[in-house]
Amino acid sequence: MPPPRTPLDVNFVRTVVVVYASCGLLFGALMLLEWHWIDRSIAAVARERGAALFSLIETTRQWNARHGGVYVPVTEDAKPNPYLKHPQRDITTTDGRALTMVNPAYMTRQIAQIAERTEGIQLHITSLDPIRAENGPDPWEAEALARFDRGEPEVLALVDGGGAPVHRYMAPLVVVSACLQCHGVQGYKVGDIRGGISVNMPAQALVEMRNSQRWRTGLLHLAAFLLSAGLIHGLLLVQRRHMRVVSDINATQERLIARRTQELAEANQQLAGEVEQHRRSARQLADSEARYRAIFEGAAEGIMVTDAHARITQVNPAFCDITGYAADEVIGRSPALMASGRHDAAFFDDMLARLAHEGTWQGEIWNRRKSGDLYVQWMSVARIGDAGDPQGFVATLTDITQRKKAEEEIRYRADHDPLTGLPNRALFDDRLALALAGAHRRGQQFALLFVDLDYFKGVNDRFGHLAGDALLVEAGNRLNECVRESDTVARFGGDEFAVILNEVGGAAETEEVASRIAAAIARPFVFPEGEATISASIGVVLAPQDGSDAETLQRRADLALYAVKHGGRGRHRFYGAELGS
């Protein structure tokens, strides 16, 4: 039969279950958030692509409308439009060539045919009240047109396109003055929504990219879960093993005391058996010591035994592996031989006090190997003997340096942008709170700059997203070069950055930094695909005069940035009362 479970075993099992459940919930939630972000990113790419195609078509249509339609030779592919009611729809040139007028709607249909043949992209101009029956909306387009009437600027959806995924994008067609040449008789007015253009784009590549990113993210979170839960599980195993060793030592001592008491009683009754009893006790003690040595020698953790004067008397092989010292180099010496210098006297005073009163101590402690390298270990110390008459101490040591590094990496990723390595929004909020606290407590002045990269979308469209990512990384480096080490440069996402200038002298000093930033961003960015030039729009506020809390400062910096973006871009502007609050 297996041995009965002790309270220590039951608590251990419960703790392990809680650890794995907590880690599973944490990393599962993080993975779902990451998947949501991936879905939004893929949708944003599809939306930008659809909007770009719509914008191109709409611009071409408006050019046609402003010219009152264009004439093309009558061919098999360009026959007169029977739905165009115009007195000069068909004309003949002086040399006898037959021309027909192509209006915006007819031209859109011609472009749609070319786009479908070359790119697999389907364009469809439609309306709830079409002139041509073929321009009638399908159910999805009808719903999109209804949503335009409710004020939505665009509609995007991922649908099944006959066995392959398709992104459907649609935006409204708004009546401009040039449109009234043909549609004025229908009662349209400038600003009315007369229909829309839907764009059907093959989405297989984007869906595969989304699925690949989800799979990779799932594996990363699974690995993080297994690593974190496994490390904690291992630590709990070490702690349970140590408690069992301490319990066994105490039980052995109690049994030895009871046995020796019995031996003294028997010695008083029968003095003649004292020698034999002594020999028997000696043999038992030798056997016990042999077993004791076989356990501290075979243990995976480092074990160190000291006498009552804190001089090392025994160490096991694992101790030598961890510290780099051979046994004969530490026996008879103080454990201070391995001191790192990172703990003050109060730390060791607390350790000795707890050993004196409670008989045990455990915690993290920095030590130094024989090579001089620093490392962090988990150490558990137990007193041997009574508090009034300690016989020595036994300590178990576990090197947890790698676990600490893993924890630091997790903390770093939580506070920094994964692309540029700059502080993210969360860390930026902490830095802004510290700057505000300094301003309130010591009367310090600081500046907050919101920086947007102008024309960044064009770089993505022209060179691709890899080049766009490289530009964002280089832009972050250039921003850091423009400020001091005590300042903060953060990325909010996309092409949005923020800068905190601590302890500035005033507007002149801040304006100098803003000018340096604008000049740095204006330098050409060189990629393997080619060279790109962008600019930076910068909104600036000074604290505390422009606001005494984080929300006000950020809102006003955004107002200043908005004014720059709508005033020509590529400049900086300080917040002023004329911008509103």
Side-chain angles (χ1 to χ4, degrees):
M1 291 181 60
R5 283 191 173 184
T6 65
L8 179 64
D9 294 327
V10 174
N11 290 334
F12 173 81
V13 172
R14 290 176 178 172
T15 303
V16 168
V17 171
V18 170
V19 165
Y20 275 89
S22 300
C23 290
L25 289 174
L26 172 62
F27 288 102
L30 291 175
M31 183 184 70
L32 291 177
L33 288 175
E34 190 75 8
W35 282 7
H36 177 67
W37 181 86
I38 290 171
D39 289 346
R40 292 188 59 183
S41 299
I42 295 299
V45 171
R47 180 177 288 105
E48 289 182 5
R49 186 182 180 195
L53 291 171
F54 175 85
S55 177
L56 178 62
I57 296 299
E58 181 62 3
T59 300
T60 306
R61 286 170 52 81
Q62 291 187 12
W63 176 86
N64 186 311
R66 284 199 299 268
H67 289 80
V70 297
Y71 287 95
V72 300
V74 176
T75 65
E76 186 65 26
D77 293 330
K79 296 179 180 180
N81 183 1
Y83 298 94
L84 177 61
K85 306 302 181 183
H86 194 281
Q88 294 180 335
R89 185 193 70 180
D90 302 308
I91 63 174
T92 303
T93 64
T94 57
D95 59 359
R97 295 175 64 194
L99 302 181
T100 187
M101 178 180 290
V102 174
N103 65 338
Y106 191 74
M107 182 175 64
T108 301
R109 293 194 295 275
Q110 295 287 315
I111 293 174
Q113 294 173 2
I114 296 174
E116 184 170 5
R117 288 197 301 268
T118 59
E119 300 293 336
I121 298 172
Q122 297 179 349
L123 302 173
H124 185 221
I125 182 170
T126 185
S127 170
L128 292 176
D129 185 20
I131 297 176
R132 296 175 71 249
E134 292 84 352
N135 288 352
D138 61 24
W140 185 88
E141 291 171 335
E143 173 61 22
L145 291 171
R147 291 166 68 176
F148 295 155
D149 287 337
R150 295 196 295 268
E152 292 191 31
E154 59 183 359
V155 177
L156 175 71
L158 178 63
V159 301
D160 182 11
V166 173
H167 273 119
R168 299 202 69 180
Y169 175 87
M170 188 169 181
L173 292 173
V174 180
V175 174
V176 297
S177 57
C179 300
L180 298 180
Q181 298 179 51
C182 295
H183 295 283
V185 297
Q186 295 175 276
Y188 285 122
K189 299 187 295 298
V190 173
D192 286 349
I193 296 177
R194 68 172 187 271
I197 296 178
S198 68
V199 184
N200 289 8
M201 302 167 288
Q204 185 65 38
L206 287 177
V207 169
E208 291 176 356
M209 180 187 301
R210 179 200 66 186
N211 294 340
S212 175
Q213 292 178 352
R214 280 186 168 187
W215 178 251
R216 184 168 57 253
T217 300
L219 289 179
L220 287 174
H221 283 81
L222 176 60
F225 159 73
L226 294 176
L227 177 62
S228 300
L231 287 174
I232 297 174
H233 191 172
L235 183 59
L236 292 173
L237 285 172
V238 170
Q239 183 180 15
R240 184 177 67 164
R241 189 178 297 114
H242 165 71
M243 296 302 296
R244 283 180 172 174
V245 169
V246 172
S247 178
D248 290 342
I249 291 174
N250 290 335
T252 300
Q253 289 178 339
E254 292 175 0
R255 289 193 298 270
L256 181 60
I257 292 172
R259 186 164 53 249
R260 288 184 175 176
T261 300
Q262 180 65 27
E263 291 171 358
L264 288 174
E266 293 176 356
N268 291 331
Q269 297 174 4
Q270 191 176 2
L271 184 59
E274 182 178 357
V275 174
E276 183 60 26
Q277 182 66 29
H278 175 73
R279 290 176 179 173
R280 187 162 52 250
S281 296
R283 286 196 301 269
Q284 292 174 346
L285 184 59
D287 292 342
S288 177
E289 184 176 357
R291 289 193 299 271
Y292 169 82
R293 289 184 179 277
I295 293 174
F296 284 168
E297 293 298 324
E301 297 82 15
I303 299 177
M304 174 180 66
V305 180
T306 70
D307 59 19
H309 302 288
R311 296 293 176 180
I312 299 174
T313 60
Q314 295 180 54
V315 294
N316 71 336
F319 172 92
C320 298
D321 292 340
I322 292 173
T323 65
Y325 287 98
D328 57 1
E329 292 178 304
V330 296
I331 300 272
R333 304 185 67 177
S334 168
L337 169 71
M338 299 171 288
S340 65
R342 299 188 61 167
H343 301 291
D344 55 18
F347 176 85
F348 293 103
D349 290 343
D350 176 69
M351 179 191 297
L352 294 175
R354 290 182 58 184
L355 284 171
H357 290 88
E358 302 174 15
T360 62
W361 180 90
Q362 60 180 353
E364 290 183 5
I365 184 169
W366 284 88
N367 274 340
R368 194 178 298 275
R369 307 185 203 274
K370 182 181 178 180
S371 63
D373 295 336
L374 284 173
Y375 71 101
V376 62
Q377 66 183 19
W378 183 265
M379 185 168 72
S380 298
V381 185
R383 183 183 65 226
I384 301 175
D386 296 330
D389 183 24
Q391 304 299 311
F393 301 92
V394 59
T396 58
L397 320 173
T398 303
D399 188 346
I400 59 172
T401 305
Q402 294 303 317
R403 177 172 68 82
K404 297 293 287 186
K405 288 182 180 179
E407 292 174 353
E408 290 297 328
E409 176 65 20
I410 292 173
R411 283 195 291 270
Y412 179 86
R413 291 181 63 185
D415 292 335
H416 291 78
D417 174 47
L419 176 63
T420 63
L422 296 174
N424 59 13
R425 168 73 78 169
L427 185 53
F428 166 82
D429 290 341
D430 290 342
R431 299 278 178 86
L432 182 57
L434 288 175
L436 281 168
H440 294 323
R441 186 168 56 252
R442 296 186 295 273
Q444 296 174 347
Q445 187 179 43
F446 70 92
L448 172 61
L449 290 70
F450 275 8
V451 182
D452 265 14
L453 304 184
D454 304 321
Y455 315 113
F456 172 71
K457 179 179 178 297
V459 175
N460 274 340
D461 293 342
R462 182 180 176 190
F463 299 111
H465 289 281
L466 290 179
D469 289 347
L471 185 146
L472 291 173
V473 172
E474 175 61 19
N477 293 334
R478 295 184 185 183
L479 289 173
N480 268 325
E481 292 171 356
C482 294
V483 300
R484 302 160 298 185
E485 289 187 4
S486 60
D487 300 327
T488 297
V489 176
R491 180 185 177 219
F492 289 169
D495 57 1
E496 299 177 359
F497 296 82
V499 180
I500 300 175
L501 302 178
N502 290 306
E503 301 184 28
V504 295
E509 181 180 341
T510 305
E511 187 166 16
E512 179 183 350
V513 176
S515 299
R516 285 205 304 269
I517 291 175
I521 298 300
R523 298 200 309 266
F525 291 80
V526 180
F527 313 110
E529 298 85 352
E531 183 177 290
T533 302
I534 63 172
S535 61
S537 296
I538 308 170
V540 187
V541 294
L542 293 173
Q545 55 264 49
D546 288 338
S548 59
D549 61 87
E551 181 182 357
T552 300
L553 288 174
Q554 294 185 76
R555 185 176 66 252
R556 292 181 173 177
D558 201 47
L559 286 173
L561 175 63
Y562 181 84
V564 174
K565 300 285 280 190
H566 288 267
R569 303 185 179 185
R571 298 178 295 106
H572 67 271
R573 177 166 181 172
F574 284 80
Y575 170 79
E578 71 278 3
L579 296 179
S581 60

